[in-house]
Amino acid sequence: MSEAVRTILQNDSAAAKEPGREPEAGFLWDFWYPAARSRAIRGNKLVTAMLLEVPLVLGRTAEGQAFAMRDSCPHRGIPLSYGHFDGSTVECSYHGWRFDACTARCVEIPSLSSQDKLKVERIFAGHYPCEERDGYVWVYMNPAGTRLPENVPAAPSLPVFSKKYEITHLDCELPSHVDQGIIGLMDPAHGPFVHQSWFWRSKHSIHEKEKQFEPIPYGFRMSPHSPSSNSAPYEVLKRITGEGVTTTIDFVLPNMRLEEIHTGKMWFSSRATVTPVRRDLCRIDFVAAWNLPFLPVFLFRMFGKTFLRQDQETMIRQAEGLKHDPKLMLIDDADRPAKWYFALKANLLESRRTGEKMEHPMTGPVTLRWRS
């Protein structure tokens, strides 16, 4: 385990002892996370999800607004997802306590008599801001016992560059801590080994690469560049359009990798999000959009599923080794993005603790070289 990860987990253990706070387990709070696909929430159906080890119940009001509540009745703790939803209020299955879906404020306790003085409206089940973007229901996760910021930022949206485009979604679970999922996501050297295939790369295609990176708010960018010559799909794209191809890749805290590919008026845009579920489980939520007329959705999904399955199998094998808490190492230059991630995360936590401006680990553009 790296020292950066060890320090973060130690800080979380200390935070767990503070009243009103939950163990953070190396999670970053006060960010948006995708909780479920929008299409999964229909009618008066209640859907459960787990984010950052917090159980959630999701639904959609009669007006079509998605909502997210903590999946626990404040009375006796039974999950509210076992209850009844009528389009505006969630009713607990144990004693019939009812909560407004969009605020989680209690509106009725059936067992109260006319003599009771309890102020029902002061009871809350736990509410989280909720927005829909790109076919996902996003939930803004703040730690228990803390207030939401005065201005919650908008949920992330996938950049698109024309009115008409195709869009698709993929996902898979990884049996690992979110940090391992993230540094695996941004790792530039595993492609010829994990993703060997006739349509992508092989060990024989390994060669030296040089890319420039630059700092961006809460992250870093692989500056616009021509795609690697050993990536067959890009070469096909060049031949079809007869124009140059440029790729830009961003990583942004807490967990997002965004990629844009442009050639003439054609474009491809994707976002991979490593969603923390538990400290030993995360999920890749992948969405892609494009206006390439020769790329049908079914074909992209076939290749995309292959990639995710290869990553998943690798993480399953890695989890087997990590159970024994081996000493790990990061090298330069191929692992520099992982080092930047851990530094960004640690610096953000320190900034929140002290109230000082967050220090970025990069002072300017950097050129990295590696073989892949």
Side-chain angles (χ1 to χ4, degrees):
M1 182 182 297
S2 74
E3 288 304 313
V5 178
R6 199 181 301 277
T7 299
I8 289 170
L9 294 178
Q10 287 172 348
N11 290 339
D12 295 333
S13 297
K17 299 175 184 177
E18 298 178 19
R21 293 196 63 186
E22 297 178 340
E24 297 189 36
F27 300 144
L28 283 178
W29 298 84
D30 297 309
F31 281 106
W32 289 96
Y33 291 94
R37 288 287 308 281
S38 291
R39 68 182 185 185
I41 304 175
R42 292 175 289 186
N44 290 346
K45 178 183 178 183
L46 294 174
V47 174
T48 60
M50 181 80 73
L51 288 179
L52 289 72
E53 299 191 337
V54 176
L56 300 174
V57 57
L58 312 172
R60 192 183 301 280
T61 67
E63 291 74 33
Q65 181 179 351
F67 65 86
M69 299 169 59
R70 190 180 184 97
D71 194 15
S72 176
C73 180
H75 180 213
R76 298 285 184 86
I78 191 171
L80 290 170
S81 53
Y82 287 122
H84 174 72
F85 177 54
D86 63 4
S88 63
T89 60
V90 177
E91 181 183 281
C92 178
S93 63
Y94 198 176
H95 295 91
W97 288 30
R98 293 174 59 236
F99 301 89
D100 177 76
C102 293
T103 64
R105 183 191 297 271
C106 187
V107 296
E108 182 185 356
I109 298 179
S111 60
L112 292 183
S113 70
S114 59
Q115 305 301 312
D116 284 303
K117 306 276 186 201
L118 181 64
K119 295 186 182 296
V120 173
E121 68 277 7
R122 294 185 178 180
I123 300 173
F124 289 83
H127 163 259
Y128 295 88
C130 189
E131 292 184 10
E132 292 188 78
R133 295 279 193 282
D134 312 317
Y136 292 102
V137 175
W138 293 78
V139 178
Y140 188 86
M141 299 297 295
N142 63 302
T146 65
R147 291 181 178 273
L148 287 168
E150 291 186 9
N151 298 306
V152 175
S157 59
L158 180 71
V160 295
F161 304 95
S162 61
K163 291 184 178 179
K164 294 184 178 181
Y165 55 86
E166 302 285 354
I167 189 168
T168 192
H169 307 77
L170 296 167
D171 64 83
C172 73
E173 291 188 339
L174 307 177
S176 64
H177 188 275
V178 64
D179 285 340
Q180 293 295 341
I182 288 173
I183 65 173
L185 183 74
M186 64 178 67
D187 174 19
H190 73 280
F193 303 93
V194 174
H195 299 301
Q196 290 185 47
S197 58
W198 64 267
F199 63 87
W200 193 244
R201 295 177 187 171
S202 71
K203 289 182 181 180
H204 304 294
S205 70
I206 293 177
H207 64 278
E208 187 163 323
K209 297 179 181 178
E210 178 180 301
K211 308 291 183 186
Q212 186 175 62
F213 291 77
E214 57 191 276
I216 58 176
Y218 293 97
F220 50 87
R221 169 173 296 156
M222 184 185 291
S223 306
H225 60 279
S226 297
S228 300
S229 59
N230 60 341
S231 298
Y234 297 127
E235 293 302 309
V236 171
L237 189 58
K238 285 182 184 179
R239 293 176 184 177
I240 291 175
T241 65
E243 299 189 45
V245 180
T246 61
T247 300
T248 305
I249 300 174
D250 290 356
F251 172 79
V252 183
L253 287 179
N255 58 352
M256 289 189 296
R257 179 190 185 276
L258 298 114
E259 182 169 2
E260 293 178 17
I261 302 171
H262 294 269
T263 174
K265 294 183 179 180
M266 296 185 184
W267 57 268
F268 177 94
S269 177
S270 68
R271 181 188 62 228
T273 305
V274 185
T275 303
V277 179
R278 302 189 308 262
R279 67 194 68 200
D280 62 346
L281 179 68
C282 60
R283 185 181 68 246
I284 293 181
D285 291 303
F286 179 85
V287 57
W290 63 90
N291 72 341
L292 309 174
F294 46 82
L295 181 58
V297 170
F298 82 89
L299 184 62
F300 177 82
R301 288 182 61 84
M302 181 176 69
F303 291 134
K305 287 180 179 179
T306 298
F307 268 71
L308 286 184
R309 185 169 60 251
Q310 291 167 338
D311 283 326
Q312 185 183 45
E313 290 173 353
T314 298
M315 297 301 286
I316 290 172
R317 293 170 180 172
Q318 184 189 36
E320 183 179 336
L322 292 177
K323 285 190 289 188
H324 307 288
D325 196 23
K327 186 174 181 179
L328 307 179
M329 62 183 293
L330 296 175
I331 64 172
D332 271 345
D333 281 358
D335 288 335
R336 188 84 65 86
K339 293 182 178 182
W340 286 333
Y341 162 68
F342 285 122
L344 282 163
K345 184 175 181 179
N347 292 356
L348 175 61
L349 293 173
E350 180 66 10
S351 171
R352 289 177 173 178
R353 186 186 69 82
T354 63
E356 299 292 327
K357 183 180 178 180
M358 175 183 165
E359 180 181 351
H360 201 291
M362 300 175 67
T363 57
V366 176
T367 299
L368 300 183
R369 299 173 180 84
W370 67 87
R371 285 173 53 80
S372 70

